[in-house]
Amino acid sequence: MPIRVLLADDQQLVRAGFRSLLEMDPDITVVAEAEDGVEAVALTRRERPDILLIDIRMPRLDGLAATRQIIADPDLEAVKVIVLTTFEVNEYIFDALKAGASGFLTKTVDSEELRRAVRVVADGEALLTPSVTRRVISEFSQRPVNDLLNKSAQRLGVLTDREREVMAMVAAGMNNTEVGAALHMSPLTAKTHISRIIAKLGIRDRTQLVVLAYESGLVSPSRS
């Protein structure tokens, strides 16, 4: 089955361009287009796409607010959101991640990277480009130890030592194959560990796992 994508952007030419790029490969299909956040939420509920590609700046309801509504809807748990914007701005990155987005891309992304990003997120992987990851690391390196860090660290108490080790590797940017090789296990076993960690922590996906790893102090910028 092809990966089903919903496009949300207030510019028709942008939507047409992304549709053309995405549908160059037969394993990706665009099921609908939305021109604002309100329509994006409605179409997501109707179409149940695998991936929602949504712009941040849109009329009536912006992309971040729309993402929050979608993430909060238990019936849309399977929908993964990739946020699009023109510029990599720190406040957008952290607002998008806090809203529950699984990935973040700029509109300057090339066609191959765009399709790869859709496949990565559809497969349950985190989508943090190197430039975005550097910004995440930089942000947490400037934060003092506080109650949020302590509370986040306490959440990791449900994890075993091996699960903490796996979580740290994922936060460092390693995929299933790399984690498996480092710990002498199969990629499938590594994926099972990661799925169990996500379930134990009550988070949505790997992107949230990465943020929590830094937020809790499990991974620090000096170790990344």
Side-chain angles (χ1 to χ4, degrees), residues 131-147:
S131 59
V132 172
T133 301
R134 285 194 296 271
R135 289 170 186 263
V136 172
I137 293 170
S138 175
E139 171 72 11
F140 282 106
S141 70
Q142 297 173 27
R143 293 186 177 186
V145 175
N146 53 29
D147 290 341

Side-chain angles (χ1 to χ4, degrees):
M1 294 291 292
I3 300 169
R4 303 173 71 254
V5 177
L6 191 154
L7 290 173
D9 192 288
D10 61 331
Q11 298 183 51
Q12 192 276 331
L13 287 177
V14 172
R15 298 197 307 271
F18 273 100
R19 175 187 281 271
S20 177
L21 294 176
L22 288 168
E23 293 187 336
M24 288 175 66
D25 288 349
D27 63 333
I28 300 175
T29 184
V30 176
V31 296
E33 298 179 18
E35 63 181 18
D36 60 48
V38 173
E39 190 176 17
V41 173
L43 286 174
T44 299
R45 288 174 174 153
R46 188 186 78 185
E47 299 291 341
R48 305 297 174 91
D50 300 305
I51 301 291
L52 169 62
L53 273 172
I54 187 167
D55 187 24
I56 286 182
R57 295 182 176 179
M58 291 189 298
R60 293 210 290 172
L61 188 70
D62 66 41
L64 295 178
T67 297
R68 292 187 189 99
Q69 288 190 24
I70 291 166
I71 297 301
D73 189 336
D75 291 334
L76 302 178
E77 184 178 0
V79 179
K80 304 295 185 182
V81 180
I82 299 176
V83 172
L84 294 164
T85 190
T86 306
F87 303 106
E88 286 187 358
V89 180
N90 280 341
E91 63 184 88
Y92 287 163
I93 293 172
F94 291 102
D95 284 347
L97 294 178
K98 186 176 180 181
S102 296
F104 183 97
L105 290 173
T106 65
K107 292 183 180 180
T108 57
V109 63
D110 64 40
S111 59
E112 290 187 8
E113 180 64 17
L114 174 66
R115 293 191 295 275
R116 188 195 72 82
V118 166
R119 294 190 187 97
V120 163
V121 173
D123 194 42
E125 297 277 358
L127 179 65
L128 291 175
T129 62
S131 59
V132 172
T133 301
R134 285 194 296 271
R135 289 170 186 263
V136 172
I137 293 170
S138 175
E139 171 72 11
F140 282 106
S141 70
Q142 297 173 27
R143 293 186 177 186
V145 175
N146 53 29
D147 290 341
L148 176 61
L149 189 150
N150 291 330
K151 289 178 181 179
S152 298
Q154 290 173 8
R155 291 180 64 183
L156 304 193
V158 299
L159 303 181
T160 65
D161 289 342
R162 173 50 61 91
E163 287 169 343
R164 287 169 178 259
E165 188 176 13
V166 170
M167 184 176 180
M169 289 181 177
V170 174
M174 297 173 70
N175 59 31
N176 293 343
T177 300
E178 292 166 337
V179 171
L183 298 177
H184 307 290
M185 62 177 67
S186 71
L188 181 59
T189 301
K191 184 175 182 179
T192 300
H193 275 293
I194 295 164
S195 297
R196 187 178 298 121
I197 293 166
I198 289 171
K200 281 187 173 183
L201 295 175
I203 54 180
R204 186 175 175 86
D205 56 24
R206 293 183 187 220
T207 303
Q208 302 305 305
L209 183 153
V210 171
V211 173
L212 182 57
Y214 281 101
E215 197 172 66
S216 67
L218 178 66
V219 176
S220 65
S222 62
R223 291 170 53 189
S224 304

